[in-house]
Every structure is written in C-alpha cells, then in structure tokens.
Amino acid sequence: MVDDQAQGDTKRAFVRKPVALDRRVTADGASGIRVEPNRYRLVIARACPWANRAAISRRLLGLEPVLSMGIAGPLHDDRSWRFHLDPGDRDPVLGIEYLGEAYRAADPDFSAGITVPALVDGTDGKVVTNGFAQLTLDFATEWREFHRDGAPDLYPERHRAEIDEINEAVYHDVNNGVYKCGFAGSQEPYEESYRALFARLDVLTERLATRRYLVGDSITEADIRLWVTLVRFDSVYHGHFKCNRSTLSAMPVLWAYARDLFQTPGFGDTIDFEQIKQHYYGVHRMINPTGVVPLGPDPSGWLTAHGREQLPGTPFGTGTPPGPPPQSERVPPLTP
Amino acid sequence: MVDDQAQGDTKRAFVRKPVALDRRVTADGASGIRVEPNRYRLVIARACPWANRAAISRRLLGLEPVLSMGIAGPLHDDRSWRFHLDPGDRDPVLGIEYLGEAYRAADPDFSAGITVPALVDGTDGKVVTNGFAQLTLDFATEWREFHRDGAPDLYPERHRAEIDEINEAVYHDVNNGVYKCGFAGSQEPYEESYRALFARLDVLTERLATRRYLVGDSITEADIRLWVTLVRFDSVYHGHFKCNRSTLSAMPVLWAYARDLFQTPGFGDTIDFEQIKQHYYGVHRMINPTGVVPLGPDPSGWLTAHGREQLPGTPFGTGTPPGPPPQSERVPPLTP
C-alpha cells in the first residue's frame, strides 16, 4: 500500500481508503482473469507490510518459478512507488519507471492510491489487482496447481472461520491499528487506537503463550498477517508511529514468536530493515519533517534463540520449508 | 533551557546557544550578587533536564527553606516558558505570567533564549542568572551555610577534577548529545551524534558495572547530570529524538543505575513523566507536527528492584537522605 492515504474526519483520525482495483485472479477464470504461469508480475516493496504478505506467501508456496516479482524502492517522489533500485530506474520486466504507469495502463483516468502489492499482467502492462486482502488467499487456493512440492496449506478449509476471525481483529487493531496511531492528527483518535492495539497484543500474547502458531498446528495466513506488523514494530511503529507502551523486544511471548518466524525460511529472508526505515521515515514528511532516518534499533536480536520448538506445532505441518530465495531477490544480511 | 534554540550550520547540525545571563551568586558577594536566604526564587520546569539538575541539588542539599521554587508548565506559546499550571496562570510569588517578563526586567532589550533554570531576585523580579552549568556547583559550595544537616558534599574538592572531566564528556555526548540527535536537520550530523551518544553510554556502562556511582563512593554532581538525561531517555529521547539503538530499559547496567537513583529521595520525587512528554512532543512541532503525545512507555518499571546496594558506594556518604518534598512541590505518583 501507499502508506499516507489518509482521509480526514472530524477527529482527524486516519481512515484507510479501499483499494481501487480489487479484482481476483482465479483458477477457473470465472472472475474474468485466469491464473496462468509466467503471465503476471507481482510488484511489491520491501518496506510495505501489505506487500510483504504477498512476498511471504509466494515464497512459502514456491510460486517463484511461475510468478516473477518486481521490487519498488523505498522512496517516493510525488508520484508514489517507483523502481529506483533497478538499473536505469526501471522495472526490468515491465519497463516502467513508476508503478503508476501500470495503474494508468489499466485505467487512463486512475486517480486513487498507487499501492503495493499489485499484480500486473505482463502481456499488456496493466494492473490486474491491488486487492491485498484477497491476493494471498488466492495464492493459497486458486494457484494450487503451481504450488511447489511440500507447500503448506496456508488457508486450510477446516480452519478458515477461525483464521478469518483473527485476521479481522488483527487488521483493525494491529495491521491498520499502527497506522491509526501514527497518522492520528489529534490526541483522541491516537489514544483510542493505541489502547486497541495493545489490548489486542495482550490477547494475542495469551494465545501464543501456549501454542506455536495462531491457528491449528502450523503456519497459516493468520501468522503471516500478524507477523508483517510485528517485524516492523521496533524499527518504525514504536517510535515513528508512537506505538510505545513497550518495544516488541520487551514483550517476551510476541518477541519469541516473531523471532521464530523470522528464522523460518520464507519470512526473515523477505525483510530489509534499511528499506523499511528509509520508507517510513523518508516518505512520511508530515510526521517526520526532516526525513532523518534513525540508525537504531540494533537488529541482531532477531537471530537469537527463541525456544518455541518446545510448544505444540510445526512450521509446515506435513510439508517442507521452501528453499532459498532466487539470487536476484536476496536481502542483505542483518548488521547491527 | 528552552529546547528548540537551534543555530543552523552548513550541515544543519544543532548547536546550542550559550545562555545570556551567565552570572554567579556567591557566599562572599565577590561576584556582585550575594547568597541570601529567602531572597531568590529558583524557576524550573519539570520537563527540562537542565532545570531538573537544580531541582535535585536543591532537594539533596535541603535548600527548600531558604530558596523557593517556581514551576513553569510544560507548554509554550510563542513566548516560551509560562506559569500555566499556577492559579490564574501566574507564578504566585513573582506575579508574572511569562518567565520572559523576569528576563526583560533584568534587561529590557533581552532577546536571547528564555531558559530554565533561572534564578530570579524576589526583591525586584529580575533574573539574576540562567547559567545552568555553574548554578548547581554554586548550590553545592557557595550556599553551604544554608545546607541542611546531613547534606551530602555533591562537589567534593578531592574529586573535582574527575567530576569535571566526566561532566564535560557527558555534556557533549549525552546531555546535549540527545538534542543533537533530535534536532539534526539532516542525516550526517544525526548519525555522528548518535554514534557519539551510544559510544559514551557504553563507556559509562563499563564504569558503572562495578561501582554504584560515577565518582568516589557517593552521589555527586556527575550523577545528577547524567541521570537527568537517562530518566527522560525512554519517554522522549528514544523515539522523539531518534536515540534508538535500544531503550534505556534494555541496557541493564544503566537501567539499574537510573532506577537506583530514581528510588533515592531527591531524584524520582522531582520527576513528572507526563509533563516531560507534554513538553517535548507538544512544543517541538518542527519534529512532531501534530503535537500528539505518546501514551507510552509504561513507567512502572522505575520502581522495581535494582540490586545495586551490592556495589561499592552509599548514596549520601556520611550524610543522610533528604526528607520528603514540601507538599506544594509533590509530583504525581507513577501510573502505567
């Protein structure tokens, strides 16, 4: 997503706009857009938690050979996400400099938020969908024909009601909750969001104290969605968004849970803390006017032992972990 | 001090201006201003670390009966420190609404920073000195006739060279260092100040790992000066000023040292975390445009056991702790 699309209300609370091209790509093509190998390009940004979900799902499910990935850089100009990390500042497959070009290819009058993740049709360069909430569910279900051997079931039928319920609460209080804290224009909506955030983290702490994953016995969509916010917590949400009852690293259960997943193939190998900090601190000038990017926190703690192998649950159930990421998608190692 | 008196340089680094009325009040009056009981009023603000030094020294030395204290509130308008916590928004002794009135009484053309601490002559309402660095040293030495029984020697002759040396390093890297981090207008001076700050904290950590206080066997001026920055670290410097390698509460030696002093009469009883946060987040709109004040961190950890009684050193040497603060100067109890 683009992170600064606030709509004012009378209390100056942050209200996230709905995505504008919320369409589905399905196995049978009943939605009008059919799953096909080597046709679409997933555009993400390392900074963005909503895009991070898609990058993790693609890794866990082994979709890399059939779904290529473009990576927008962390910094915006007034035209939003752009490919400033690529040679010539252009996405090497789509050939575009700004992600907005693919949105306007789909709709010449497009004027809504230019967001990641975006699935772009490589045959015509048009954005097919930026529906972040449905995208990963469809990766888990509609793209099943192209999953790797040993891929986990990230959205198992028998647990869907429970996953959906947790996802709904986590979305409002945590994923979007940190934005509501950070983008609140006045004290009252900030305090309301802060209290909801930490109340929810307390509930999740209790749940995760005795089980390794949120739902069932292995990693699901629910873990992916919670984790993309937790992994950014101390780097950006704690200070920049004023989510500062304590750091994640001072919440023992959630910190161990987050480290466990960080060290699981498919999670930590999608994270670039420098890009995360550059984006939030560099782009949100309305809350960080100087654009100075903090040097901290020291991220080396992410690699320390977490001890959660003792708890009930195994990461991939009867499946296997994914192999290493393609060379071109590797993130830099952690440095203190 | 007023906290936002930056002078730009080519790198947009923060450079603290010298105070403008840096005069001394001495026992023999050789400076032109003589120590007298019940003549001067010490004006502080709970928010301000430079003023906090003076409030602590006054408590430890028991100067309350001879030196009254006025408390400017945490919030400024464009005229700097004002008495918005007092009945009628006026200091009850000086009768002024803005501290600037006392500066202009001393110098009708006064145009420099309106800072706390300020020592004001009650007989004519003029600021006598705002020289924060010398003020507490003079409390410890020039005001000796009025010290309470059992007052500690906060600036013992045999340790002055060592205290001065530590104070100098702590001033540049820590006390003023956090401001240099927070008010840096660009990346380079921020990073330089951040590295100097944490390098200094590492050196201090090593020193304090094996001794209870910085110099000699008991509390001195050196401890007071370091502590006023440490006590504000997690509430304001970590997030608001981007001093975020880690929180103080994640630095075991310094955190225990800071808690030990917090729990020592004369230190924690001068602290109002709400006023500290209201000031920094409410006044520095150039780094916090919305003025939203964070709800965190939870301060209850300050009252937990610190275990430093095991180390060599006793708080007051052969002296005694001060009694409780006067009723009118009590701060609210900690609330999570």
Side-chain angles (χ1 to χ4, degrees), chain A residues 187 190 242 288 293 295-296, chain B residues 187 190 242 244 288 293 295:
Chain A
Q187 197 67 24
Y190 159 74
K242 303 188 173 77
N288 185 43
V293 181
L295 285 175
Chain B
Q187 197 68 26
Y190 161 73
K242 302 188 172 78
N244 72 338
N288 185 42
V293 181
L295 285 175

Side-chain angles (χ1 to χ4, degrees), chain A residues 298-331:
Chain A
D298 175 357
S300 53
W302 284 101
L303 301 179
T304 59
H306 53 77
R308 289 183 60 90
E309 308 86 349
Q310 316 297 330
L311 293 172
T314 52
F316 297 102
T318 57
T320 57
Q327 190 67 43
S328 63
E329 296 177 8
R330 303 231 169 133
V331 294

Side-chain angles (χ1 to χ4, degrees), chain A residues 9 35 40 120 125 167 173 196 216 239 282:
Chain A
D9 71 1
V35 169
Y40 305 103
V120 182
N167 284 350
D173 294 339

Side-chain angles (χ1 to χ4, degrees), chain A residues 184-187 190-191 194-195 238-239 242 244-245 247 281 286-298, chain B residues 184-187 190-191 194-195 238-239 242 244-245 247 281 286-298:
Chain A
S186 65
Q187 197 67 24
Y190 159 74
E191 294 196 1
Y194 172 104
R195 292 185 211 284
H238 181 271
K242 303 188 173 77
N244 72 338
R245 192 181 75 183
T247 57
Y281 283 96
M286 67 292 194
I287 52 175
N288 185 43
T290 64
V292 169
V293 181
L295 285 175
D298 175 357
Chain B
S186 65
Q187 197 68 26
Y190 161 73
E191 294 196 0
Y194 173 105
R195 290 185 212 285
H238 181 271
K242 302 188 172 78
N244 72 338
R245 193 180 74 183
T247 57
Y281 283 97
M286 68 291 195
I287 53 177
N288 185 42
T290 64
V292 169
V293 181
L295 285 175
D298 176 357

